[in-house]
Amino acid sequence: MSQGSKPLIQNTKCDCGHQNPTGTVLCEACGKPLTEEAEAQPILEMRYDGVARRSQKENPGIIDRVWNFFSSVKVAIYLILLTLIGSSLGTIFPQESTFLNIDPSVYYKEEYGQLGHIYYLLGLSHTYTSWWFVLLLVMIGASLVICSLDRVLPLYKALSRQRIPKHMSFLTRQKVIYQGQVEEDGADWVERVKPIIKKKGYRVRTDGGTLLAEKQRFSRWGPYVLHIGLIIFLLAVLGRNLPGLHMDEHMAFPQDEPVHIKNTSYYLLNDGFKVEFYTEDDMPEEFKGKNKVLPKEFQTQAILYMCEANCDDLGKKPELVEVTRHNIEVNHPLNYKGLKAYQFDYDLTPILRSVSPVLVDSKSGKEYGKITLSIDDPQREYQAGEYTLTLTQSFTDFGLGDNGKPVNLSPNPNAPAFLFLIKGPELPKEGIQYFYFPKQIDKERFNQEAINAQLAGGEALVQLDVLSMDDVDFSESTTYLNIRVDKAMPFIWIGCFIGMVGLVMGFYFTHRRIWLRIDNGTLTLGAHTNKNWFGLRKEVSAILKQMNIEVDEKSLENNRGTKDESN
Amino acid sequence: MGKSKKSVQIVILLAIILVGVYAVATVVFGSDEVPKVGQEAADFELLGMDGSVHTMSEYEGKARVINFWGTYCPPCVREMPALQAQWEKWSSQGVEIIGINVGENKMTVENFVAQTGVKFPILMDPKRDAVASFGVGPMPTTFFVTASGKIDHIRIGELDLNTLDKQIEQLVNAK
């Protein structure tokens, strides 16, 4: 009656009088197949218990259409496939983010030729931070949310409002069925079978001569719990781009100098760097005799400081308080409240920091006094005994410019040089000019003595000299650390954990249901599960056996619906 | 019931759109991206030659010419007089010319400024923080920033007096 020529609108009312929403496949109340398609199936399709999904509507508007697009599993699969293809494209050549300092517009062309340039132009050199990749992730997220909402609410309703009596055609078209005669009254038989089924771990409800037994219903929520886990995971991945949540920087730390870690209030000090090299004997075979220097172990003794005061005041020295110290080795990073410092590289070139030369009489060698000269930040005035030294020019990387005048070649302290005006006893009243190169190699290269002789118009009467290595302060090495902050990581783990719980729920537990009814001495039993039919068959046969009904397990399987028609 | 379903759908779709727009926007205009022409100029906080700290926000509402330089860079040294001349011409009309010295110590910068007679404000970026946030590659690099803080033009390489004048005029008119 109700399944007429206009199935779209009119098939919603079932024989049992229940009004079903559009798109319902099996009557929500009695389980009778409603659509012609379901009617034609020898075994019922039990997906979502045959209830209508939320997106199934009579006249979809624009919002419904968007909703329907994302609620489609097919669309979700395409989105996942596209994302997989996209992320594999990103692995063809290294991503820009794997390099410290390159210009990608030339690098890819130089390194990988025209193909590399096309790769760069297509934006694949930063696949994972490209708009389309993130958009795909967002769309997968949308699909996860909408798919879940679209199914989980109707399914929840269907499962929590299950009615015990089911339509005959619902029972006989399950995959596991049994039909046979019982001698006694239906209600009595049901009462007798109840404890037996309960013993198998089922929750049993009865209604006269009908019964519904159910176990492990929670496994039906497994996929949706997995979805929640994946959504948290995706949000965490997307959230990593928020400022302050993620940092991945490679920084240089010269020894004994606290270096500020950008965007944090931390300073890290390289308090000593140790490196041990392989001797020729214990070098791995393939490197032997190749004159290679292989580091065996290297370690940064790091001290992490927190800035307490004067942090943002560039004019003042920040006040630092030690928070932790750790010897950083490869695979043993420093880890403090989510800030991690990984050993990455090192440089053993010493960097001169300061020298403490003594002003001496060029002839007699008499010492007048010692000054301390900082290479990086020299003072203007120095006092050595009765002599005053005024620094008039300083160079970090001394060289001669096009016009023959001394210039700075770079801001790096490669060849520091200082020009002093020295005044004092026995010197001309206006003083003498004196050029000083702290590094011995520069002294020779630029011929310090000749310059000074020229400046003084003869031999310089006084000179600066470093008497011992104790008077030279240099940073022995620089360590390179990879500083990482990833505050989104805990959420990624939480997402993974929830997802795993969902997988376990869905995979290791099975929702099993057994319905039965007795009509005039005829027992009709139907059972359904989402997997492990074999186990369900076995369980049903064991129950029946205890009720003195001997059935072969295999015969319980619905033989494509042909068996029940004859009865 | 049907109505509430619809509003729930709308709320969820809107939330997804918001998250999506935000996620895409943060990667496209990500913080490690170097500012380009038309975008907001980066912020800085640097110690000036005058001994006090200067920030970008301090110059808000003024057209700015931000020049990155070093004494070790000959074209930077050559263009200094042009910048100085433009500062003399434009500073009364609300144009700030700011020189950011990259990586050198105070003494070197002081000597240089004294020698060349540069009067416009010079800031020091010894740790190259501003260099990183402005994405400066080769030097000299000059940023022309409008009064509203947008980058109007980026000049990499030596400036000359004439084009600099036109460039500043354009910047002032871009208000």
mmCIF file of all heavy atoms in Angstrom, chain A residues 54 63-64 67 129 138 142 149 241-242 262 312 314 376 380 391-394 408-411, chain B residues 5 9-10 12 16 20 22 27 45-47 72 103-105 107-108 110-111 128-129 132:
data_model
loop_
_atom_site.group_PDB
_atom_site.id
_atom_site.type_symbol
_atom_site.label_atom_id
_atom_site.label_comp_id
_atom_site.label_asym_id
_atom_site.label_seq_id
_atom_site.Cartn_x
_atom_site.Cartn_y
_atom_site.Cartn_z
ATOM 1 N N ARG A 54 21.084 11.834 7.804
ATOM 2 C CA ARG A 54 20.565 13.165 8.003
ATOM 3 C C ARG A 54 20.482 13.952 6.699
ATOM 4 O O ARG A 54 19.633 14.796 6.496
ATOM 5 C CB ARG A 54 21.491 13.893 8.949
ATOM 6 C CG ARG A 54 20.720 14.837 9.782
ATOM 7 C CD ARG A 54 21.558 15.449 10.794
ATOM 8 N NE ARG A 54 20.684 16.345 11.530
ATOM 9 C CZ ARG A 54 21.038 16.993 12.582
ATOM 10 N NH1 ARG A 54 22.246 16.851 13.049
ATOM 11 N NH2 ARG A 54 20.203 17.794 13.182
ATOM 12 N N ILE A 63 22.538 24.733 1.041
ATOM 13 C CA ILE A 63 23.253 24.270 2.224
ATOM 14 C C ILE A 63 23.218 22.752 2.305
ATOM 15 O O ILE A 63 24.204 22.091 2.592
ATOM 16 C CB ILE A 63 22.662 24.923 3.491
ATOM 17 C CG1 ILE A 63 23.101 26.392 3.507
ATOM 18 C CG2 ILE A 63 23.122 24.227 4.763
ATOM 19 C CD1 ILE A 63 22.420 27.215 4.536
ATOM 20 N N ASP A 64 22.045 22.192 1.969
ATOM 21 C CA ASP A 64 21.935 20.741 1.972
ATOM 22 C C ASP A 64 22.876 20.113 0.952
ATOM 23 O O ASP A 64 23.450 19.062 1.184
ATOM 24 C CB ASP A 64 20.495 20.331 1.647
ATOM 25 C CG ASP A 64 19.541 20.832 2.707
ATOM 26 O OD1 ASP A 64 19.890 20.698 3.887
ATOM 27 O OD2 ASP A 64 18.485 21.366 2.352
ATOM 28 N N TRP A 67 26.253 20.169 2.337
ATOM 29 C CA TRP A 67 26.245 19.163 3.408
ATOM 30 C C TRP A 67 26.347 17.759 2.798
ATOM 31 O O TRP A 67 27.149 16.926 3.233
ATOM 32 C CB TRP A 67 24.951 19.328 4.205
ATOM 33 C CG TRP A 67 24.909 18.529 5.448
ATOM 34 C CD1 TRP A 67 24.390 17.280 5.596
ATOM 35 C CD2 TRP A 67 25.419 18.918 6.726
ATOM 36 N NE1 TRP A 67 24.544 16.864 6.881
ATOM 37 C CE2 TRP A 67 25.166 17.847 7.600
ATOM 38 C CE3 TRP A 67 26.064 20.053 7.203
ATOM 39 C CZ2 TRP A 67 25.543 17.877 8.936
ATOM 40 C CZ3 TRP A 67 26.421 20.086 8.539
ATOM 41 C CH2 TRP A 67 26.170 19.011 9.392
ATOM 42 N N THR A 129 52.979 23.303 3.032
ATOM 43 C CA THR A 129 52.491 24.584 3.531
ATOM 44 C C THR A 129 51.838 25.368 2.400
ATOM 45 O O THR A 129 51.760 26.582 2.446
ATOM 46 C CB THR A 129 53.625 25.426 4.137
ATOM 47 O OG1 THR A 129 54.686 25.496 3.180
ATOM 48 C CG2 THR A 129 54.148 24.823 5.412
ATOM 49 N N VAL A 138 41.679 20.607 5.372
ATOM 50 C CA VAL A 138 40.471 21.188 5.961
ATOM 51 C C VAL A 138 39.240 20.466 5.426
ATOM 52 O O VAL A 138 38.301 20.155 6.164
ATOM 53 C CB VAL A 138 40.393 22.697 5.657
ATOM 54 C CG1 VAL A 138 39.042 23.255 6.039
ATOM 55 C CG2 VAL A 138 41.495 23.427 6.395
ATOM 56 N N ALA A 142 36.358 18.579 7.317
ATOM 57 C CA ALA A 142 34.930 18.870 7.156
ATOM 58 C C ALA A 142 34.174 17.584 6.858
ATOM 59 O O ALA A 142 33.112 17.320 7.421
ATOM 60 C CB ALA A 142 34.745 19.869 6.024
ATOM 61 N N LEU A 149 28.445 13.337 11.862
ATOM 62 C CA LEU A 149 27.174 13.882 12.343
ATOM 63 C C LEU A 149 26.013 13.325 11.553
ATOM 64 O O LEU A 149 24.945 13.054 12.094
ATOM 65 C CB LEU A 149 27.185 15.410 12.217
ATOM 66 C CG LEU A 149 28.038 16.130 13.236
ATOM 67 C CD1 LEU A 149 28.054 17.608 12.923
ATOM 68 C CD2 LEU A 149 27.483 15.905 14.630
ATOM 69 N N ASN A 241 50.679 26.021 12.673
ATOM 70 C CA ASN A 241 51.096 27.247 12.003
ATOM 71 C C ASN A 241 50.807 28.493 12.820
ATOM 72 O O ASN A 241 51.238 29.573 12.471
ATOM 73 C CB ASN A 241 50.407 27.358 10.646
ATOM 74 C CG ASN A 241 50.828 26.240 9.730
ATOM 75 O OD1 ASN A 241 52.016 25.961 9.596
ATOM 76 N ND2 ASN A 241 49.884 25.567 9.120
ATOM 77 N N LEU A 242 50.068 28.326 13.913
ATOM 78 C CA LEU A 242 49.773 29.496 14.740
ATOM 79 C C LEU A 242 51.059 30.004 15.386
ATOM 80 O O LEU A 242 51.921 29.207 15.756
ATOM 81 C CB LEU A 242 48.773 29.116 15.833
ATOM 82 C CG LEU A 242 47.379 28.732 15.378
ATOM 83 C CD1 LEU A 242 46.513 28.403 16.579
ATOM 84 C CD2 LEU A 242 46.756 29.860 14.590
ATOM 85 N N LYS A 262 64.910 33.420 19.884
ATOM 86 C CA LYS A 262 63.869 34.323 19.404
ATOM 87 C C LYS A 262 62.472 33.910 19.802
ATOM 88 O O LYS A 262 62.147 32.730 19.836
ATOM 89 C CB LYS A 262 63.928 34.337 17.876
ATOM 90 C CG LYS A 262 64.392 35.666 17.339
ATOM 91 C CD LYS A 262 64.190 35.690 15.865
ATOM 92 C CE LYS A 262 65.329 36.441 15.233
ATOM 93 N NZ LYS A 262 65.271 36.365 13.787
ATOM 94 N N ASP A 312 63.271 43.183 27.435
ATOM 95 C CA ASP A 312 62.948 43.871 26.199
ATOM 96 C C ASP A 312 63.695 45.188 26.067
ATOM 97 O O ASP A 312 63.555 45.876 25.077
ATOM 98 C CB ASP A 312 61.440 44.124 26.133
ATOM 99 C CG ASP A 312 60.684 42.806 26.130
ATOM 100 O OD1 ASP A 312 61.168 41.879 25.460
ATOM 101 O OD2 ASP A 312 59.647 42.725 26.801
ATOM 102 N N LEU A 314 66.668 46.960 25.140
ATOM 103 C CA LEU A 314 67.907 46.685 24.414
ATOM 104 C C LEU A 314 69.086 47.431 25.003
ATOM 105 O O LEU A 314 70.232 47.055 24.810
ATOM 106 C CB LEU A 314 67.738 47.062 22.943
ATOM 107 C CG LEU A 314 66.776 46.167 22.169
ATOM 108 C CD1 LEU A 314 66.453 46.790 20.835
ATOM 109 C CD2 LEU A 314 67.377 44.793 21.965
ATOM 110 N N ASP A 376 84.572 42.780 19.884
ATOM 111 C CA ASP A 376 83.222 43.056 19.465
ATOM 112 C C ASP A 376 82.756 44.450 19.856
ATOM 113 O O ASP A 376 82.066 45.115 19.101
ATOM 114 C CB ASP A 376 82.313 42.042 20.161
ATOM 115 C CG ASP A 376 81.403 41.372 19.167
ATOM 116 O OD1 ASP A 376 81.734 41.446 17.973
ATOM 117 O OD2 ASP A 376 80.393 40.802 19.591
ATOM 118 N N ARG A 380 86.328 53.344 24.222
ATOM 119 C CA ARG A 380 86.963 54.435 23.488
ATOM 120 C C ARG A 380 88.314 54.807 24.092
ATOM 121 O O ARG A 380 89.221 55.233 23.378
ATOM 122 C CB ARG A 380 86.058 55.660 23.500
ATOM 123 C CG ARG A 380 84.870 55.487 22.591
ATOM 124 C CD ARG A 380 84.832 56.611 21.589
ATOM 125 N NE ARG A 380 83.933 56.296 20.511
ATOM 126 C CZ ARG A 380 84.176 56.665 19.243
ATOM 127 N NH1 ARG A 380 85.253 57.324 18.929
ATOM 128 N NH2 ARG A 380 83.329 56.379 18.301
ATOM 129 N N LEU A 391 90.965 55.068 21.252
ATOM 130 C CA LEU A 391 90.669 54.288 20.043
ATOM 131 C C LEU A 391 89.998 55.213 19.039
ATOM 132 O O LEU A 391 88.942 55.775 19.311
ATOM 133 C CB LEU A 391 89.750 53.116 20.419
ATOM 134 C CG LEU A 391 89.441 52.103 19.348
ATOM 135 C CD1 LEU A 391 90.706 51.459 18.810
ATOM 136 C CD2 LEU A 391 88.505 51.036 19.896
ATOM 137 N N THR A 392 90.612 55.397 17.897
ATOM 138 C CA THR A 392 90.000 56.292 16.916
ATOM 139 C C THR A 392 89.283 55.537 15.809
ATOM 140 O O THR A 392 88.330 56.044 15.236
ATOM 141 C CB THR A 392 91.039 57.241 16.303
ATOM 142 O OG1 THR A 392 92.130 56.458 15.826
ATOM 143 C CG2 THR A 392 91.548 58.232 17.339
ATOM 144 N N GLN A 393 89.742 54.343 15.525
ATOM 145 C CA GLN A 393 89.034 53.559 14.512
ATOM 146 C C GLN A 393 89.132 52.089 14.855
ATOM 147 O O GLN A 393 90.138 51.640 15.413
ATOM 148 C CB GLN A 393 89.657 53.771 13.135
ATOM 149 C CG GLN A 393 89.195 55.035 12.472
ATOM 150 C CD GLN A 393 89.356 54.965 10.970
ATOM 151 O OE1 GLN A 393 88.752 54.126 10.331
ATOM 152 N NE2 GLN A 393 90.185 55.827 10.424
ATOM 153 N N SER A 394 88.093 51.360 14.525
ATOM 154 C CA SER A 394 88.183 49.914 14.720
ATOM 155 C C SER A 394 87.621 49.209 13.493
ATOM 156 O O SER A 394 86.746 49.730 12.801
ATOM 157 C CB SER A 394 87.417 49.503 15.970
ATOM 158 O OG SER A 394 86.041 49.537 15.721
ATOM 159 N N ASN A 408 86.384 48.284 6.317
ATOM 160 C CA ASN A 408 85.877 47.049 6.872
ATOM 161 C C ASN A 408 85.384 46.193 5.721
ATOM 162 O O ASN A 408 84.597 46.651 4.900
ATOM 163 C CB ASN A 408 84.699 47.371 7.788
ATOM 164 C CG ASN A 408 84.827 46.742 9.135
ATOM 165 O OD1 ASN A 408 85.797 46.009 9.391
ATOM 166 N ND2 ASN A 408 83.880 47.002 10.001
ATOM 167 N N LEU A 409 85.837 44.949 5.661
ATOM 168 C CA LEU A 409 85.391 44.100 4.560
ATOM 169 C C LEU A 409 84.128 43.323 4.912
ATOM 170 O O LEU A 409 83.375 42.923 4.038
ATOM 171 C CB LEU A 409 86.500 43.130 4.157
ATOM 172 C CG LEU A 409 87.766 43.780 3.579
ATOM 173 C CD1 LEU A 409 88.780 42.711 3.214
ATOM 174 C CD2 LEU A 409 87.430 44.618 2.344
ATOM 175 N N SER A 410 83.948 43.093 6.188
ATOM 176 C CA SER A 410 82.743 42.383 6.611
ATOM 177 C C SER A 410 82.530 42.644 8.098
ATOM 178 O O SER A 410 83.436 43.093 8.779
ATOM 179 C CB SER A 410 82.876 40.874 6.364
ATOM 180 O OG SER A 410 83.596 40.273 7.404
ATOM 181 N N PRO A 411 81.343 42.349 8.604
ATOM 182 C CA PRO A 411 81.125 42.547 10.038
ATOM 183 C C PRO A 411 81.677 41.399 10.887
ATOM 184 O O PRO A 411 81.564 41.417 12.104
ATOM 185 C CB PRO A 411 79.596 42.621 10.155
ATOM 186 C CG PRO A 411 79.085 41.883 8.988
ATOM 187 C CD PRO A 411 80.105 41.975 7.906
ATOM 188 N N LYS B 5 17.558 21.777 12.801
ATOM 189 C CA LYS B 5 18.531 20.993 12.044
ATOM 190 C C LYS B 5 19.302 21.891 11.087
ATOM 191 O O LYS B 5 20.512 21.820 10.979
ATOM 192 C CB LYS B 5 17.786 19.937 11.235
ATOM 193 C CG LYS B 5 17.997 18.525 11.741
ATOM 194 C CD LYS B 5 17.372 17.576 10.754
ATOM 195 C CE LYS B 5 17.180 16.224 11.403
ATOM 196 N NZ LYS B 5 16.478 15.298 10.528
ATOM 197 N N GLN B 9 23.255 22.858 10.925
ATOM 198 C CA GLN B 9 24.077 22.686 9.717
ATOM 199 C C GLN B 9 24.825 23.972 9.370
ATOM 200 O O GLN B 9 26.020 23.942 9.079
ATOM 201 C CB GLN B 9 23.187 22.313 8.538
ATOM 202 C CG GLN B 9 22.765 20.862 8.535
ATOM 203 C CD GLN B 9 21.944 20.533 7.311
ATOM 204 O OE1 GLN B 9 21.325 21.408 6.704
ATOM 205 N NE2 GLN B 9 21.947 19.273 6.937
ATOM 206 N N ILE B 10 24.093 25.072 9.433
ATOM 207 C CA ILE B 10 24.709 26.347 9.059
ATOM 208 C C ILE B 10 25.855 26.672 10.009
ATOM 209 O O ILE B 10 26.953 27.061 9.586
ATOM 210 C CB ILE B 10 23.652 27.481 9.048
ATOM 211 C CG1 ILE B 10 22.680 27.243 7.884
ATOM 212 C CG2 ILE B 10 24.326 28.847 8.898
ATOM 213 C CD1 ILE B 10 21.481 28.147 7.878
ATOM 214 N N ILE B 12 27.690 24.616 11.780
ATOM 215 C CA ILE B 12 28.839 23.727 11.552
ATOM 216 C C ILE B 12 29.584 24.117 10.283
ATOM 217 O O ILE B 12 30.813 24.213 10.269
ATOM 218 C CB ILE B 12 28.370 22.260 11.502
ATOM 219 C CG1 ILE B 12 27.941 21.836 12.907
ATOM 220 C CG2 ILE B 12 29.456 21.343 10.978
ATOM 221 C CD1 ILE B 12 27.179 20.549 12.956
ATOM 222 N N ILE B 16 33.440 25.406 9.958
ATOM 223 C CA ILE B 16 34.438 24.772 9.083
ATOM 224 C C ILE B 16 35.059 25.806 8.151
ATOM 225 O O ILE B 16 36.271 25.827 7.939
ATOM 226 C CB ILE B 16 33.789 23.610 8.300
ATOM 227 C CG1 ILE B 16 33.510 22.458 9.261
ATOM 228 C CG2 ILE B 16 34.676 23.155 7.151
ATOM 229 C CD1 ILE B 16 32.604 21.397 8.719
ATOM 230 N N GLY B 20 38.886 26.786 8.048
ATOM 231 C CA GLY B 20 39.566 26.619 6.754
ATOM 232 C C GLY B 20 40.234 27.893 6.297
ATOM 233 O O GLY B 20 41.406 27.892 5.931
ATOM 234 N N TYR B 22 41.107 30.408 8.073
ATOM 235 C CA TYR B 22 42.206 30.740 8.981
ATOM 236 C C TYR B 22 43.433 29.885 8.690
ATOM 237 O O TYR B 22 44.549 30.390 8.589
ATOM 238 C CB TYR B 22 41.764 30.556 10.432
ATOM 239 C CG TYR B 22 42.773 31.092 11.392
ATOM 240 C CD1 TYR B 22 42.876 32.459 11.603
ATOM 241 C CD2 TYR B 22 43.656 30.244 12.045
ATOM 242 C CE1 TYR B 22 43.814 32.968 12.461
ATOM 243 C CE2 TYR B 22 44.610 30.749 12.906
ATOM 244 C CZ TYR B 22 44.678 32.117 13.112
ATOM 245 O OH TYR B 22 45.629 32.618 13.948
ATOM 246 N N VAL B 27 49.028 29.723 6.455
ATOM 247 C CA VAL B 27 50.159 29.185 5.684
ATOM 248 C C VAL B 27 50.545 30.106 4.528
ATOM 249 O O VAL B 27 51.713 30.222 4.190
ATOM 250 C CB VAL B 27 49.950 27.748 5.158
ATOM 251 C CG1 VAL B 27 49.838 26.778 6.291
ATOM 252 C CG2 VAL B 27 48.794 27.642 4.223
ATOM 253 N N GLU B 45 62.626 46.287 16.666
ATOM 254 C CA GLU B 45 62.889 46.933 17.943
ATOM 255 C C GLU B 45 64.401 46.983 18.069
ATOM 256 O O GLU B 45 65.038 45.963 18.333
ATOM 257 C CB GLU B 45 62.264 46.117 19.072
ATOM 258 C CG GLU B 45 62.262 46.856 20.380
ATOM 259 C CD GLU B 45 61.653 46.041 21.489
ATOM 260 O OE1 GLU B 45 61.289 44.880 21.255
ATOM 261 O OE2 GLU B 45 61.595 46.555 22.611
ATOM 262 N N LEU B 46 64.960 48.157 17.812
ATOM 263 C CA LEU B 46 66.417 48.245 17.724
ATOM 264 C C LEU B 46 66.942 49.438 18.507
ATOM 265 O O LEU B 46 66.263 50.451 18.687
ATOM 266 C CB LEU B 46 66.839 48.387 16.252
ATOM 267 C CG LEU B 46 66.454 47.250 15.315
ATOM 268 C CD1 LEU B 46 66.696 47.664 13.882
ATOM 269 C CD2 LEU B 46 67.214 45.983 15.640
ATOM 270 N N LEU B 47 68.178 49.274 18.921
ATOM 271 C CA LEU B 47 68.846 50.330 19.648
ATOM 272 C C LEU B 47 69.388 51.345 18.642
ATOM 273 O O LEU B 47 70.032 50.975 17.668
ATOM 274 C CB LEU B 47 69.995 49.726 20.457
ATOM 275 C CG LEU B 47 70.588 50.569 21.562
ATOM 276 C CD1 LEU B 47 69.538 50.937 22.592
ATOM 277 C CD2 LEU B 47 71.712 49.800 22.233
ATOM 278 N N TYR B 72 80.985 47.949 5.526
ATOM 279 C CA TYR B 72 81.742 46.978 4.726
ATOM 280 C C TYR B 72 81.164 46.776 3.336
ATOM 281 O O TYR B 72 81.621 45.939 2.582
ATOM 282 C CB TYR B 72 81.777 45.622 5.457
ATOM 283 C CG TYR B 72 80.421 45.219 5.977
ATOM 284 C CD1 TYR B 72 79.525 44.549 5.155
ATOM 285 C CD2 TYR B 72 80.026 45.553 7.270
ATOM 286 C CE1 TYR B 72 78.267 44.208 5.610
ATOM 287 C CE2 TYR B 72 78.763 45.210 7.733
ATOM 288 C CZ TYR B 72 77.892 44.538 6.896
ATOM 289 O OH TYR B 72 76.648 44.222 7.352
ATOM 290 N N GLY B 103 74.973 44.330 11.719
ATOM 291 C CA GLY B 103 76.033 43.474 12.248
ATOM 292 C C GLY B 103 77.281 44.158 12.784
ATOM 293 O O GLY B 103 78.216 43.468 13.168
ATOM 294 N N GLU B 104 77.340 45.480 12.851
ATOM 295 C CA GLU B 104 78.584 46.116 13.279
ATOM 296 C C GLU B 104 78.484 46.672 14.697
ATOM 297 O O GLU B 104 77.395 46.823 15.242
ATOM 298 C CB GLU B 104 78.958 47.209 12.287
ATOM 299 C CG GLU B 104 79.339 46.614 10.943
ATOM 300 C CD GLU B 104 79.787 47.644 9.941
ATOM 301 O OE1 GLU B 104 78.931 48.382 9.424
ATOM 302 O OE2 GLU B 104 80.991 47.715 9.674
ATOM 303 N N ASN B 105 79.630 46.958 15.256
ATOM 304 C CA ASN B 105 79.606 47.471 16.617
ATOM 305 C C ASN B 105 79.434 48.987 16.628
ATOM 306 O O ASN B 105 79.585 49.676 15.618
ATOM 307 C CB ASN B 105 80.827 47.017 17.424
ATOM 308 C CG ASN B 105 82.126 47.526 16.847
ATOM 309 O OD1 ASN B 105 82.215 48.649 16.369
ATOM 310 N ND2 ASN B 105 83.149 46.690 16.888
ATOM 311 N N MET B 107 81.056 51.437 17.872
ATOM 312 C CA MET B 107 82.241 52.251 17.570
ATOM 313 C C MET B 107 82.414 52.459 16.064
ATOM 314 O O MET B 107 82.618 53.573 15.586
ATOM 315 C CB MET B 107 83.430 51.493 18.160
ATOM 316 C CG MET B 107 84.736 51.877 17.604
ATOM 317 S SD MET B 107 85.649 52.692 18.905
ATOM 318 C CE MET B 107 86.658 53.717 17.912
ATOM 319 N N THR B 108 82.297 51.364 15.327
ATOM 320 C CA THR B 108 82.456 51.443 13.879
ATOM 321 C C THR B 108 81.396 52.354 13.275
ATOM 322 O O THR B 108 81.690 53.207 12.437
ATOM 323 C CB THR B 108 82.331 50.025 13.280
ATOM 324 O OG1 THR B 108 83.203 49.156 13.988
ATOM 325 C CG2 THR B 108 82.657 50.008 11.811
ATOM 326 N N GLU B 110 79.594 54.674 14.803
ATOM 327 C CA GLU B 110 79.794 56.051 15.252
ATOM 328 C C GLU B 110 80.855 56.767 14.419
ATOM 329 O O GLU B 110 80.666 57.902 13.970
ATOM 330 C CB GLU B 110 80.236 56.069 16.715
ATOM 331 C CG GLU B 110 79.098 56.277 17.688
ATOM 332 C CD GLU B 110 79.528 56.046 19.132
ATOM 333 O OE1 GLU B 110 80.752 55.973 19.405
ATOM 334 O OE2 GLU B 110 78.633 55.921 19.959
ATOM 335 N N ASN B 111 81.958 56.071 14.215
ATOM 336 C CA ASN B 111 83.030 56.670 13.420
ATOM 337 C C ASN B 111 82.579 56.989 12.016
ATOM 338 O O ASN B 111 82.864 58.044 11.473
ATOM 339 C CB ASN B 111 84.227 55.719 13.349
ATOM 340 C CG ASN B 111 85.044 55.761 14.619
ATOM 341 O OD1 ASN B 111 84.903 56.695 15.411
ATOM 342 N ND2 ASN B 111 85.881 54.766 14.816
ATOM 343 N N ARG B 128 71.082 40.846 13.682
ATOM 344 C CA ARG B 128 70.373 40.644 12.418
ATOM 345 C C ARG B 128 68.925 40.225 12.590
ATOM 346 O O ARG B 128 68.381 39.459 11.798
ATOM 347 C CB ARG B 128 71.106 39.601 11.558
ATOM 348 C CG ARG B 128 72.476 40.046 11.155
ATOM 349 C CD ARG B 128 73.306 38.877 10.651
ATOM 350 N NE ARG B 128 74.682 39.292 10.475
ATOM 351 C CZ ARG B 128 75.189 39.714 9.325
ATOM 352 N NH1 ARG B 128 74.429 39.746 8.256
ATOM 353 N NH2 ARG B 128 76.441 40.094 9.242
ATOM 354 N N ASP B 129 68.301 40.708 13.645
ATOM 355 C CA ASP B 129 66.891 40.384 13.856
ATOM 356 C C ASP B 129 66.019 41.046 12.795
ATOM 357 O O ASP B 129 65.155 40.413 12.211
ATOM 358 C CB ASP B 129 66.434 40.863 15.247
ATOM 359 C CG ASP B 129 67.142 40.117 16.366
ATOM 360 O OD1 ASP B 129 67.532 38.960 16.127
ATOM 361 O OD2 ASP B 129 67.328 40.692 17.453
ATOM 362 N N ALA B 132 66.379 39.529 9.422
ATOM 363 C CA ALA B 132 65.593 38.305 9.257
ATOM 364 C C ALA B 132 64.121 38.628 9.038
ATOM 365 O O ALA B 132 63.494 38.081 8.138
ATOM 366 C CB ALA B 132 65.765 37.408 10.477
#
